[in-house]
Amino acid sequence: MTTDRDPVALAGRPLEELPATELARLLGEHTRKARLRVLVRDEILHVSEAIDTSLPVDNLLAGYAYPEALAVTSFAALTEQELVAILEVNLDQARLHDLVLAEVVGYKVVGSWPLLRSLTDRAGIEAEVAASETPNAELRFHSWINFDFLTSPMSSIPASAGVRAALLGTIYIMLITMAVAVPLGVGAAIYLEEYATPNALNNLIETNIRNLAGVPSIIYGILGLAIFVRAFGHLTSGAFVGVTDSNGRTIVSAAMTLALLVLPIVIINAQEAIRAVPWSIREASYGLGATRWQTVRRQVLPAALPGILTGTILSLSRAIGETAPLIVVGASAIIFTDPSGPFSKFTALPVQIWQWTARPQDQFRDLAAAAIIVLLVLLLSLNAAAILLRQRVSKRLS
Amino acid sequence: MAEEIRTGLIERTIEQKRAIIADALRQPRAPTLHRRLRLGEGIIRAVLFACGAFSIITTVAIVVVLGSEALLFFTPPSWIDSFTALASDINPNSAWLDLTGAGKFEAGQHIRAGEEQMRVTEVGDGYILVERGYNDTTPAAIEAGAEIFTADVVTLIEFFTSTQWQPQLGNFGVLPLLTATVITSLIAMAVALPLGLSAAIYLSEYASPRRRAAIKPILEILAGVPTVVYGYFALTFMTPLLQSIFGDVVKVYNMASAGIVMGVMILPYVSSVSEDALNAVPQSLREASYGLGATRFETVVSVVVPAALSGVLAAFILGISRAIGETMIVALASGAGPAFTFNAFNSAETMTGHIVRISGGDISYNSIDYNSLFAIALALFFMTFFLNTLSRYVTRRFREVYE
């Protein structure tokens, strides 16, 4: 990594120890006005398009904090100090520290080497750094994956970017997906296994579910785009409950799309679990005078429950990794803020991985690798839970 | 009740007795063996049926939505920017349009400016004469600078035979996307079929139960890895590897690397379906073969695999279907931008890759791009549907039934 200025010489002591006001002052002294305006846009307003700078501050920053004295000043007329004051009241010390590092110190990662090589060939790397003629280059060990990576938001500076918004997006989407897919899927499985007589209609349903399981996931994405995002845009954008800043490309739309996608898998898994319940249990229940639903509810479902749960976890782990439908439904490119509810714009872990991988800079590839590890750990723990459950079941039935 | 009737019958007159008996007969009786109507049960059954029928609604929605949007794509007119604009204002009556820009027009052509559609009657230097208010649109005053759009008709023949896919320029041939899809899928199968079948043969014929128990979960985990992870792997591992072997002919984005990694992705799938087929071959066949002095390898090659051929074929077809629908690996590693090429080291966009690239971000509805997505998706849907149905047919039709 390189620096344009020596961080310690700037303030006389390490930047981490500086209070927010000091950091803001540094930012104001060493950054151009146009860049500060961009920072206000990126860090506070979180919009990607250009803003109308002729607006007064109270209009442009409606809903955000700003010094009262500046309320009626036009945004374009603000001085460096005033822009910094706006940044200071909106951002915390840690974020200001990152900004000073990136903007003032010019802290940039210019190259990275894999762990294995840095352990075995440190001299080679040092020689490369010396030969690269980058001014102020400094070698530093950086672990891309640590606790900060999980809790910090997306950033355009690779070294301080994290997966917080993506992780939260994934969790929100999965909750809604499962809330929709599991009741529907288990209901369908009960119908097909306990109620359906082999006639043409039921055979059609059965074949149809097998076919749906083979439909490529991207087709579901297109379906979600046409139905949830566009046709039901009024509902999925949250306009009916007064949410105004979204356009149907929301968490709900994504979750419904994934629910359609995993539904056949949930059904097939639940069917297998229900089929594994011995007939003798049902016959005993009927023999005691129970109705069909009483038999299902009190005998079959409890016996099949662990199996159904296993299947559900497996379909959940399938849904977590799905990327293409989310992109088609409209996962947003760059999201800095946490999702605020089911009707907010979203990104998700696999989408974030895709974007980082698709960028040409090496550092983003490293970030993608770190995010992949997070995703795989999540998946492996889900699968391990499913396998444990399955073993418990097979022990009990034998 | 019974007591009352008995005492009543002793003390009363014959008429009273008759009345009491008739009354008693009207009382609710003890449970019978008749089926009773239970409303709750009926409702539950109906709800569960609705859950089951929901899958049919999904299929119908897929076909209807993809079909109707794709139909818009094939229904004229699709409007293409002619890169020409009005040079001066026109009023609703004028048939003379002064133009600036690079567009070429011809008589009889169907154009649009603003909301109004027109038909070109004469073409001159820098101007055209038109018939106003074509197709029941209302002639209106249009200001200078309004873009002129020309109508383009996408025919099914053009869609399936043209080798150019440039929606903005009016070239709608799906072939470049299709060839890229087929090439990556074939490369994937060239990797997955031999490896998958060998793995299946090892697991079902050679491996001890303990080894089997150790290897199967690994394959299952491999099957559970998200495809975007494979995409990362293709771009950052497979492509550099290919480049170091074959040199500069390998582009940064290329079909070969996407195809090979895709093969690794569908390997567990092919091996699992093939293994089921191999396991279904009865033990007596193997024993007969051993009895004739065949070695284990001879038994596998000339008895077990031929007997399970229908299942292996089905696995192959299902694998292709998977590969055709696979998106993230090709979106990341195979390149952005349709190219009609048969060189696997070149970059070319597949159908799925194209959908992801076009739809990522804010695509505007009713644009030619939006509608073209549905046409491609419909083609994709029918291809995978056909292959899935075919594999089921193959399993049923060619299965050798023993015992």
Side-chain angles (χ1 to χ4, degrees):
Chain A
M1 52 190 62
T2 75
T3 53
D4 295 341
R5 295 191 180 83
D6 181 11
V8 182
L10 269 177
R13 53 185 170 139
L15 287 173
E16 296 87 48
E17 294 173 8
L18 292 182
T21 22
E22 275 293 290
L23 289 168
R25 190 183 57 77
L26 280 178
L27 200 57
E29 278 171 14
H30 296 281
T31 316
R32 283 177 301 117
K33 203 195 282 185
R35 181 64 196 160
L36 284 174
R37 286 201 203 112
V38 172
L39 286 181
V40 169
R41 188 191 76 186
D42 286 352
E43 297 293 325
I44 304 175
L45 294 172
H46 299 303
V47 289
S48 46
E49 63 272 22
I51 49 176
D52 183 0
T53 52
S54 63
L55 290 173
V57 170
D58 59 348
N59 188 329
L60 193 71
L61 287 171
Y64 299 97
Y66 50 86
E68 276 307 316
L70 302 176
V72 290
T73 325
S74 145
F75 188 69
L78 293 176
T79 66
E80 282 91 345
Q81 281 69 31
E82 287 164 343
L83 282 166
V84 165
I86 293 177
L87 282 172
E88 191 192 332
V89 290
N90 278 290
L91 303 174
D92 58 6
Q93 195 263 350
R95 190 72 201 140
L96 282 169
H97 173 241
D98 285 348
L99 286 180
V100 169
L101 274 189
E103 304 290 330
V104 183
V105 179
Y107 174 84
K108 276 199 293 287
V109 180
V110 284
S112 54
W113 293 267
L115 178 65
L116 193 66
R117 188 145 173 235
S118 64
L119 289 178
T120 55
D121 187 24
R122 173 129 193 147
I125 295 177
E126 273 166 1
E128 258 180 63
V129 173
S132 69
E133 293 175 13
T134 320
N136 302 328
E138 177 195 350
L139 259 186
R140 193 185 280 190
F141 175 74
H142 182 85
S143 161
W144 291 103
I145 183 153
N146 50 29
F147 192 66
D148 283 345
F149 182 69
L150 294 181
T151 54
S152 48
M154 168 66 192
S155 164
S156 44
I157 309 159
S160 62
V163 288
R164 183 191 169 93
L167 203 55
L168 281 174
T170 290
I171 293 172
Y172 270 102
I173 294 172
M174 286 310 125
L175 284 180
I176 304 180
T177 300
M178 286 297 133
V180 175
V182 171
L184 262 180
V186 175
I190 294 174
Y191 174 77
L192 289 173
E193 288 303 310
E194 300 292 318
Y195 286 84
T197 47
N199 59 27
L201 179 63
N202 293 331
N203 286 344
L204 180 68
I205 295 179
E206 188 88 38
T207 321
N208 187 46
I209 289 169
R210 297 285 180 284
N211 274 332
L212 278 182
V215 171
S217 61
I218 193 158
I219 303 270
Y220 285 99
I222 291 274
L223 182 71
L225 176 67
I227 292 192
F228 299 123
V229 175
R230 198 178 169 196
F232 292 128
H234 182 70
L235 294 178
T236 52
S237 68
F240 73 106
V241 289
V243 180
T244 50
D245 61 341
S246 63
N247 57 357
R249 297 172 183 274
T250 56
I251 287 184
V252 182
S253 297
M256 300 296 261
T257 307
L258 287 189
L260 284 189
L261 172 75
V262 293
L263 192 58
I265 311 169
V266 174
I267 296 177
I268 291 170
N269 284 332
Q271 267 182 295
E272 264 166 34
I274 292 173
R275 216 175 294 148
V277 176
W279 263 105
S280 52
I281 290 186
R282 293 185 185 84
E283 278 156 7
S285 171
Y286 289 137
L288 290 171
T291 64
R292 189 168 281 193
W293 174 243
Q294 284 165 342
T295 305
V296 167
R297 197 170 71 87
R298 296 189 193 149
Q299 310 303 330
V300 179
L301 274 188
L305 193 63
I308 293 177
L309 269 180
T310 313
T312 306
I313 296 175
L314 288 179
S315 25
L316 179 67
S317 66
R318 163 88 195 270
I320 282 189
E322 279 300 338
T323 322
L326 295 185
I327 298 173
V328 176
V329 168
S332 299
I334 301 149
I335 294 237
F336 298 95
T337 45
D338 296 350
S340 59
F343 301 118
S344 66
K345 292 194 280 184
F346 71 99
T347 185
L349 213 42
V351 177
Q352 196 73 69
I353 293 172
W354 167 66
Q355 276 158 355
W356 278 336
T357 309
R359 292 210 194 183
Q361 302 99 317
D362 277 348
Q363 289 78 47
F364 283 106
R365 299 260 167 91
D366 296 338
L367 275 177
I372 285 176
I373 292 177
V374 173
L375 183 64
L376 287 184
V377 166
L378 206 61
L379 279 177
L380 282 183
S381 35
L382 277 175
N383 285 347
I387 289 170
L388 281 182
L389 257 175
R390 187 160 61 189
Q391 279 175 350
R392 266 191 62 185
V393 179
S394 58
K395 231 180 262 167
R396 212 180 56 178
L397 285 185
S398 61
Chain B
M1 173 65 72
E3 188 60 27
E4 194 186 311
I5 294 174
R6 212 175 296 128
T7 51
L9 286 181
I10 297 165
E11 290 166 10
R12 318 258 157 109
T13 65
I14 186 76
E15 282 76 22
Q16 282 170 326
K17 287 173 190 167
R18 277 199 190 122
I20 287 169
I21 289 172
D23 201 38
L25 285 176
R26 254 179 262 126
Q27 297 287 328
R29 279 182 284 176
T32 67
L33 292 177
H34 285 273
R35 182 175 175 172
R36 242 188 303 170
L37 190 72
R38 286 169 179 268
L39 196 59
E41 292 275 322
I43 293 172
I44 286 165
R45 189 198 161 94
V47 169
L48 293 176
F49 173 76
C51 291
F54 187 76
S55 70
I56 294 196
I57 301 176
T58 312
T59 310
V60 172
I62 290 179
V63 175
V64 168
V65 166
L66 294 189
S68 62
E69 294 282 351
L71 201 63
L72 285 180
F73 178 70
F74 289 114
T75 314
S78 313
W79 297 109
I80 316 287
D81 194 340
S82 66
F83 300 105
T84 310
L86 283 183
S88 54
D89 295 359
I90 53 168
N91 63 41
N93 303 320
S94 67
W96 182 292
L97 269 59
D98 285 319
L99 302 176
T100 82
K104 296 266 182 292
F105 296 91
E106 51 196 73
Q109 207 173 12
H110 191 169
I111 62 169
R112 179 171 72 92
E115 292 301 307
E116 187 190 341
Q117 297 181 18
M118 309 168 195
R119 198 171 65 90
V120 180
T121 53
E122 208 181 306
V123 183
D125 189 21
Y127 69 92
I128 50 172
L129 292 178
V130 296
E131 182 190 328
R132 301 292 300 270
Y134 195 65
N135 253 359
D136 292 332
T137 50
T138 332
I142 302 171
E143 285 179 10
E147 293 285 331
I148 307 280
F149 293 88
T150 53
D152 191 62
V153 181
V154 187
T155 60
L156 273 176
I157 294 174
E158 186 199 342
F159 188 66
F160 284 115
T161 57
S162 163
T163 56
Q164 299 279 321
W165 179 270
Q166 295 155 318
Q168 300 311 332
L169 300 179
N171 293 324
F172 296 101
V174 82
L175 266 188
L177 301 176
L178 198 63
T179 49
T181 299
V182 170
I183 290 172
T184 47
S185 303
L186 287 182
I187 296 174
M189 288 321 293
V191 173
L193 190 70
L195 287 181
L197 187 57
S198 314
I201 290 174
Y202 176 75
L203 283 176
S204 103
E205 307 297 320
Y206 287 87
S208 65
R210 259 187 63 195
R211 287 247 172 91
R212 219 177 104 88
I215 294 175
K216 278 218 86 162
I218 295 178
L219 279 176
E220 275 176 37
I221 286 175
L222 208 58
V225 173
T227 57
V228 68
V229 176
Y230 283 107
Y232 176 88
F233 183 65
L235 196 57
T236 59
F237 175 77
M238 194 48 82
T239 301
L241 186 70
L242 288 179
Q243 279 173 331
S244 68
I245 297 174
F246 295 102
D248 282 344
V249 288
V250 184
K251 302 270 171 22
V252 176
Y253 298 102
N254 65 83
M255 293 188 278
S257 129
I260 293 171
V261 173
M262 201 147 82
V264 175
M265 185 204 88
I266 46 183
L267 191 156
Y269 199 67
V270 170
S271 104
S272 146
V273 178
S274 315
E275 198 204 335
D276 287 345
L278 294 177
N279 279 339
V281 175
Q283 198 57 29
S284 54
L285 252 70
R286 293 187 187 87
E287 280 156 8
S289 171
Y290 292 139
L292 289 172
T295 64
R296 188 174 269 196
F297 182 72
E298 282 163 351
T299 307
V300 168
V301 170
S302 47
V303 176
V304 182
V305 173
L309 202 58
S310 73
V312 174
L313 198 59
F316 179 71
I317 297 170
L318 277 180
I320 290 190
S321 161
R322 266 288 163 99
I324 285 177
E326 168 43 40
T327 309
M328 291 323 293
I329 298 175
V330 287
L332 277 171
S334 167
F340 188 66
T341 171
F342 290 97
N343 181 352
F345 291 144
N346 280 348
S347 88
E349 198 167 46
T350 66
M351 298 163 85
T352 50
H354 183 74
I355 295 178
V356 160
R357 181 168 64 87
I358 295 300
S359 62
D362 278 333
I363 183 170
S364 55
Y365 304 137
N366 291 330
S367 63
I368 195 81
D369 270 343
Y370 181 81
N371 287 336
S372 72
L373 289 187
F374 288 84
I376 299 172
L378 190 68
L380 200 61
F381 177 72
F382 280 126
M383 282 161 77
T384 51
F385 182 80
F386 170 74
L387 287 173
N388 291 348
T389 314
L390 183 69
S391 89
R392 219 168 305 150
Y393 173 77
V394 165
T395 328
R396 221 175 317 150
R397 173 71 179 73
F398 297 106
R399 180 163 23 190
E400 309 239 343
V401 182
Y402 303 96
E403 284 146 275

